[in-house]
Amino acid sequence: MNDPFAPLQQAHLDGLERYYAERLSALGYDGVWLFSGRPLLHFGDDQYASYSSFGHFQHWTGQPGMAHCWLRIIPGKRPTLFLHAPDDFWHLPTRLPDEAWTERMEIVVGRFETPPPATPGRFAVLGDLDSATAQALGAELNPAALWQALDEARVRKSDFEIACLMEANRQAMVGHLAARNAFLAGGAELDVQLAYLGASRQRESEVPYGNIVGINAHGSVLHYQHYEVRPPARRHSLLVDAGARHRGYCADITRTWAGADADPLFADLIRGMTELKQRLVAELRPGLSYVVLHMAMHEGLAKLLRDSGLITCSPEAAVNEGVTHAFCPHGLGHLLGLQVHDVAGRRAADGSSLPPPPAHPALRLTRDLEPGMVLTIEPGLYFIPMLLEPLKAQPQGKTIDWTRVARLAPHGGIRIEDNLLITADAALNLTPDEREVEARVR
């Protein structure tokens, strides 16, 4: 085996086996089945939608593309993978990678659109399946206590997971630089998307989420989902929110660039938002409430808005009266791992709910930070008409320089996003410096 990640993955699997044994024993189970999932057909069609396997299945295998597979975990025994790989001349059967996890498991190759035979004992089964299938396995379907415990196991990352996340970040940053260059060369959104995919070596169906490629005002649509095929007449800005996967683990990076026709104030705002992101990163440490950090983002945004002349009120008033929320309606970030918005971000370790503040319902992470967590920091500043226009009729509207807003509206918005690992006393930025990546690419 020629797998540089092998020692790290072996240690990762050691930890998983111990954790599963402890939790299964505590909950009275003899074992658990993890179903990979399966792609679904578009309604009334014979074409399948994009697919990614179940996160807890990937936690053991790192294989987002495996379908119709079953993983059986019994404490004290080798895990057994029932690998769906029937002989086929329409499609290439699934092949096992040259990775350490394949040597830790019993592999049973066959056709498994229906589940394998039941195993004696008290079992649970987790996955997207119906009660009849669970009954055929003799297993309890998706028990909440076990699901919650396994989610919690993914909150703090192993050294293997961190290495995978770093590699995904490296791939993604290469893509971001290619995207920037395509834009500056005059490309349309589709050209930018294709440049990103080519440089990061991904198919569109393999990215961890739909890439957001917004030129000009499209940058104000938070999850903009189209790719214009024609370049715009004027080139104010580009916002790219795009990631990559390595062995299932996701990068989630956003960059914003000023175009040839950008207002100088917009370029200043990009620098200001980059500095705000860096200040927030410097605050990261174990024990810090992410909700407190989210509010610090709003305070920093308010100061930037005032310093740039976009508002005239005090930063405190801008936050308290909802002005900053109109300029940035999303949360500061979220947990990151096998899923882009990874699990358990709004739940304490004991399972209790941690809802976001009522005034900030989009915040996806409400926990106190712990060593081993990986999360995003992504402050934003947008010119979204449907959020800003109502303020004109409110007292807060008198504090906004609408002339400057109108100048900047064609630029859409700014988001700067990095991926961070919480360490013993601070944070490690997993997102590589653009200049270092560019030098290596050259």
Side-chain angles (χ1 to χ4, degrees), residues 254-275:
T254 308
R255 290 293 183 267
T256 307
W257 292 280
D261 301 309
D263 189 303
L265 178 55
F266 187 75
D268 290 341
L269 289 171
I270 291 176
R271 285 190 286 272
M273 291 300 290
T274 301
E275 291 168 2

Side-chain angles (χ1 to χ4, degrees), residues 162-182:
I162 293 164
C164 290
L165 287 159
M166 292 182 73
E167 175 58 21
N169 267 262
R170 185 200 63 78
Q171 293 173 234
M173 185 52 72
V174 173
H176 275 272
L177 294 175
R180 177 203 63 186
N181 293 342

